[in-house]
Amino acid sequence: MIRKPPTGNAAYAAVWPEPVLSGRPNLLLALAGSRWLQDLLVPEERFLYELFLRFRARADRFPGDDVVDRLRELRPDLGHWWSCRAVRELGSWPVTVLVDGRRLRFECSLLQPDGSALVLVEAPADAETREWMQLRS
């Protein structure tokens, strides 16, 4: 069996397995549409909501995009969010991920290094998560 090498590093692949995210360039839609990814996040709504608020801050730059319509289809239970006009600028927020029965804590940040594409960066937020990451690097 030929195995394709992961596109990210080993620690990244241990938390965010590539097959779930491949072919879905929009992380917001990937999270909203994947029960498996939602089960990783503790609680998943906070991460999704924080990501959505940052999306809303830039949504006017893509007037023809139907992301909000697709979010309504994927998660009608969160319809009150999708109708919300609140925004949040780039910045960080905490996230807890459940991996192999272990709660890993990260500080997530959305960065815009070149003025166009947004990059999500996750840094370990505590000693236990840093140690876990180092063992997989």
Side-chain angles (χ1 to χ4, degrees):
M1 174 169 125
I2 298 174
R3 203 164 174 206
K4 179 183 164 194
T7 57
N9 62 44
Y12 170 89
V15 177
W16 304 104
E18 191 64 29
V20 176
L21 294 177
S22 62
R24 298 179 107 161
N26 186 310
L27 179 60
L28 186 58
L29 291 173
L31 287 169
S34 171
R35 183 79 244 160
W36 188 86
L37 283 174
Q38 293 163 23
D39 289 343
L40 280 178
L41 299 160
V42 183
E44 59 93 8
E45 289 93 358
R46 175 159 186 186
F47 184 82
L48 189 60
Y49 185 61
E50 290 293 330
L51 196 57
F52 177 70
L53 290 177
R54 286 156 178 84
F55 161 79
R56 292 281 315 158
R58 282 152 188 72
D60 64 332
R61 296 180 183 132
F62 310 99
D65 201 343
D66 65 344
V67 170
V68 175
D69 292 336
R70 291 187 285 169
L71 287 169
R72 282 190 180 106
E73 290 173 16
L74 290 169
R75 292 295 302 271
D77 59 312
L78 299 176
H80 57 289
W81 286 359
W82 315 141
S83 299
C84 176
R85 295 290 178 206
V87 298
R88 203 164 270 139
E89 287 302 316
L90 299 181
S92 62
W93 71 98
V95 63
T96 301
V97 180
L98 189 61
V99 177
D100 297 329
R102 188 175 283 212
R103 288 177 183 260
L104 304 175
R105 290 169 179 80
F106 296 93
E107 190 69 21
C108 290
S109 298
L110 267 179
L111 307 175
Q112 197 169 22
D114 67 357
S116 60
L118 294 175
V119 177
L120 179 67
V121 177
E122 296 171 335
D126 61 20
E128 182 180 345
T129 302
R130 271 189 297 283
E131 181 180 318
W132 184 90
M133 296 284 289
Q134 288 172 346
L135 291 172
R136 279 144 190 85
S137 296

